[in-house]
Amino acid sequence: MNKIKIRFAEENDSNEILDIYTPYILNTPITFEYDRPDEEEFKNRIVKTKKLYPYLVYTIDSRIIGYAYASQYKNRKAYDYTAEISIYIKEGYKGKHIGQNLYMSLIEILKLQNLQLLYACITIHPTLKSSDFHKKLGFKEIGYFEKSGFKDGQWYDTAWYSLEIGDFKPNPKEFIPINKINKEKLNKIFRKYEEAINK
């Protein structure tokens, strides 16, 4: 049986993660980035994200098959309870519930950090399944933007989706950086979704 593991990304994972991301850049409108980032630049992106938010990888027999992370929505104190999330799965591994379990791991960790609301920005195209994926997990469309991105000779619409994960009390608990979250609670989440995949 293949050994499945969900864990935090490490700096030395950056090249393997970048190799998963590159086909999305070069062959799809899923990301509006045009060019493959420099390896050092991409590593710095991971390091910067990990200062506050989770950056997760899904591995099979120690090989990274997918990754998901949260990032700051806007640099204002009032937005501390909101984050944008993203996920990318290696070509050939979609439709195996990898994305769902990896995303749910990320979402549960963000709840521990006292996040209240999550956003995902999605490119709209008949060949892309991102909208269906997010709707299945409870996201709802909250905004639609026509012709907001141009890539490979075509204009693309985008939509913003949101997922409420908090209780929106008048005095919310402070946002907790990822390195302050109890390690056993994190490991419990990882084990939960690793076991879900193995069933």
Side-chain angles (χ1 to χ4, degrees):
M1 180 181 289
N2 294 326
K3 184 178 181 182
I4 292 168
K5 187 174 180 63
I6 298 172
R7 61 171 175 80
F8 287 110
E10 300 171 358
E11 284 186 47
N12 59 8
D13 293 325
S14 60
N15 288 349
E16 204 172 346
I17 295 171
L18 181 55
D19 285 342
I20 293 173
Y21 182 48
T22 298
Y24 287 93
I25 300 171
L26 301 180
N27 305 322
T28 81
I30 289 175
T31 173
F32 283 172
E33 195 156 11
Y34 275 28
D35 302 309
R36 174 186 166 106
D38 173 84
E39 291 176 0
E40 191 64 28
E41 176 196 343
F42 194 75
K43 181 187 291 185
N44 290 337
R45 293 184 192 180
I46 296 173
V47 171
K48 181 180 178 181
T49 298
K50 288 179 58 179
K51 289 179 180 178
L52 293 175
Y53 299 99
Y55 200 122
L56 307 182
V57 295
Y58 175 107
T59 69
I60 299 177
D61 296 334
S62 300
R63 293 179 296 111
I64 297 175
I65 302 303
Y67 68 99
Y69 62 93
S71 56
Q72 187 178 50
Y73 172 61
K74 284 192 175 183
N75 185 24
R76 293 288 185 272
K77 182 65 177 175
Y79 290 114
D80 276 2
Y81 304 98
T82 305
E84 184 177 352
I85 60 177
S86 302
I87 185 168
Y88 293 91
I89 304 298
K90 189 178 181 72
E91 291 180 319
Y93 286 89
K94 294 180 181 179
K96 303 178 186 296
H97 304 292
I98 293 171
Q100 179 177 323
N101 286 286
L102 184 55
Y103 229 27
M104 291 307 298
S105 299
L106 179 69
I107 290 167
E108 286 209 25
I109 293 171
L110 294 170
K111 289 179 182 178
L112 293 179
Q113 293 184 266
N114 296 327
L115 270 291
Q116 303 285 304
L117 183 68
L118 304 179
Y119 289 136
C121 184
I122 295 168
T123 306
I124 304 301
H125 191 271
T127 63
L128 305 179
K129 305 299 182 184
S130 296
S131 295
D132 293 339
F133 172 74
H134 284 82
K135 288 176 183 177
K136 183 179 178 182
L137 296 180
F139 284 76
K140 63 180 180 181
E141 184 181 312
I142 57 168
Y144 194 96
F145 302 88
E146 295 182 352
K147 300 178 178 64
S148 53
F150 180 81
K151 186 174 181 181
D152 297 329
Q154 185 172 340
W155 290 99
Y156 289 97
D157 300 345
T158 56
W160 280 88
Y161 280 72
S162 72
L163 180 69
E164 295 183 1
I165 62 171
D167 50 22
F168 298 94
K169 291 182 178 178
N171 298 299
K173 296 178 182 178
E174 284 290 317
F175 169 77
I176 305 173
I178 189 60
N179 62 358
K180 302 293 185 182
I181 299 295
N182 179 274
K183 297 295 190 295
E184 184 50 43
K185 288 182 178 180
L186 295 170
N187 288 331
K188 186 176 180 180
I189 291 172
F190 292 150
R191 288 195 299 268
K192 174 182 176 180
Y193 288 99
E194 288 166 359
E195 290 170 2
I197 297 163
N198 281 314
K199 286 182 179 178

